[in-house]
Amino acid sequence: MRIEHLEIFINAAQTQSFTKTAENMNMSQPAVSLAISSIEKQLGYRLFSRSRRKMILTPAGKSLYNSMKAELDGYRIALSKAKRIAMAEGQTILRIGLLGMPAEQVIIPRILREYKTLHPTMNFEYYVEKHADLMNKLAAHELDMVLTTPEAIPKASGFSHTDLCQIEWCAVIPKSHAFAGKQSLKPSDLDGNDLIFLDSSWAPPVMSALQEKLEQECASSRIFFANNVVAQSMMVLTQQGIAVQPFAAGATAAYGLQKIPFDFDVSANASTLSLITTDDRENPDVDALLSWMKGQDLSK
């Protein structure tokens, strides 16, 4: 079965129209019909139920689409990556794991932009995933480093950390919220307000501990959970509650949001954002970056 025919099938499943698929793929409508017929002939079953207005996927066609779309996406990514490598002689890549926190979005671009100016052949790939998945991929050398707080390092030996900047844990509210004029907040201030937490699979340990503390001290509050930072911020913007997020010094909240620092200690290790690496790393570019960082004032 030809890849080109499968790509036509995917497009037709999305447009529900052979005519629109022909326009999208710069081919004739009969050629689209012929490609779909060829797939159906090879498979031995129908993929579409044809009506006057649109093409509707059969149950078998829907199953094939759901499975094949991810496979074709992976195929395209694999081809693109191979082409990039083929064209990147002398280029290097560091793979960095992130949670998508506001603190990351300030410190990492500033530091790595400066480093890339000095090392034009260096490139960076970023992976935003659950905290546990990031640490597992780091241990398996699928990532070169992970940005998180030092207390997130597994108790087992084999990991090191390089501190990047101080962070503060803040409540995140809409700018129209009644708390907007406050300079700091105590847990008691939040009691009775809806709170939006990250679920435990996304939150680093110190964040989970802070959320548990707030839940205990805000007995009158309803607790909602988001499965990533973007969803959490969107819930705050739609005024569904108050979130908890870390910020680098001097950083501002996203558009339409305001941060208010907490005025109590979260943890002895909670004030630092660090790059976590494995001790048995094999990529010399990681050591070069860490060595360069030691000579920089990262607090700027």
Side-chain angles (χ1 to χ4, degrees), residues 6-297:
L6 290 174
E7 290 177 332
I8 293 170
F9 163 68
I10 294 298
N11 194 283
Q14 294 170 336
T15 63
Q16 296 186 330
S17 166
F18 286 5
T19 300
K20 290 181 179 178
T21 293
E23 293 174 356
N24 291 342
M25 304 193 72
N26 194 29
M27 57 194 305
S28 66
Q29 191 272 339
V32 172
S33 298
L34 183 62
I36 298 300
S37 296
S38 176
I39 296 175
E40 290 179 331
K41 183 176 180 180
Q42 292 181 62
L43 295 176
Y45 51 80
R46 299 286 292 276
L47 297 174
F48 292 92
S49 296
R50 294 159 175 79
S51 67
R52 292 181 179 179
R53 296 183 178 179
K54 61 182 179 181
M55 310 298 295
I56 301 174
L57 284 170
T58 64
K62 185 176 294 185
S63 175
L64 181 64
Y65 169 75
N66 290 336
S67 299
M68 192 56 66
K69 184 179 185 304
E71 294 295 331
L72 280 179
D73 286 344
Y75 166 76
R76 294 189 188 99
I77 291 172
L79 289 182
S80 177
K81 183 176 181 179
K83 180 179 179 180
R84 188 171 69 243
I85 291 173
M87 296 175 64
E89 184 176 354
Q91 301 283 315
T92 54
I93 295 175
L94 285 181
R95 303 159 298 174
I96 303 174
L98 307 171
L99 285 168
M101 298 289 187
E104 299 169 341
Q105 297 168 26
V106 173
I107 189 68
I108 281 295
R110 179 177 61 77
I111 292 174
L112 298 187
R113 182 170 57 244
E114 184 175 349
Y115 187 73
K116 184 170 174 58
T117 300
L118 299 173
H119 301 82
T121 60
M122 175 61 65
N123 298 284
F124 304 98
E125 293 181 348
Y126 303 98
Y127 299 84
V128 178
E129 298 189 46
K130 297 177 181 178
H131 189 269
D133 291 344
L134 290 176
M135 297 307 295
N136 288 337
K137 289 187 175 182
L138 177 63
H141 301 287
E142 295 175 24
L143 293 173
D144 294 304
M145 53 187 68
V146 169
L147 195 63
T148 186
T149 50
E151 39 68 49
I153 297 178
K155 293 182 179 180
S157 60
F159 296 89
S160 304
H161 68 91
T162 300
D163 296 338
L164 299 183
C165 69
Q166 298 297 111
I167 58 174
E168 58 182 358
W169 291 88
C170 303
V172 181
I173 60 173
K175 290 186 176 180
S176 58
H177 196 277
F179 287 163
K182 289 184 172 291
Q183 298 301 309
S184 62
L185 291 170
K186 299 180 176 67
S188 58
D189 295 325
L190 301 183
D191 194 19
N193 288 272
D194 291 341
L195 304 178
I196 305 168
F197 294 163
L198 280 183
D199 68 40
S200 58
S201 63
W202 277 86
V206 70
M207 188 174 191
S208 294
L210 173 57
Q211 291 179 165
E212 290 176 7
K213 176 181 176 66
L214 291 175
E215 187 171 4
Q216 292 170 2
E217 299 196 25
C218 300
S220 300
S221 295
R222 295 188 301 176
I223 308 296
F224 298 88
F225 286 90
N227 68 351
N228 59 57
V229 178
V230 173
Q232 186 186 40
S233 297
M234 290 295 290
M235 292 172 73
V236 177
L237 280 169
T238 50
Q239 301 186 357
Q240 296 182 63
I242 299 171
V244 177
Q245 292 179 358
F247 286 82
T252 58
Y255 175 78
L257 299 177
Q258 178 180 337
K259 63 165 186 161
I260 304 179
F262 290 114
D263 64 354
F264 61 92
D265 291 335
V266 179
S267 163
N269 296 319
S271 60
T272 305
L273 191 67
S274 305
L275 277 174
I276 312 299
T277 57
T278 59
D279 292 340
D280 62 347
R281 55 187 178 270
E282 300 177 350
N283 188 343
D285 294 310
V286 175
D287 294 307
L289 174 60
L290 297 180
S291 178
W292 173 81
M293 285 182 175
K294 291 179 180 178
Q296 307 302 309
D297 181 2

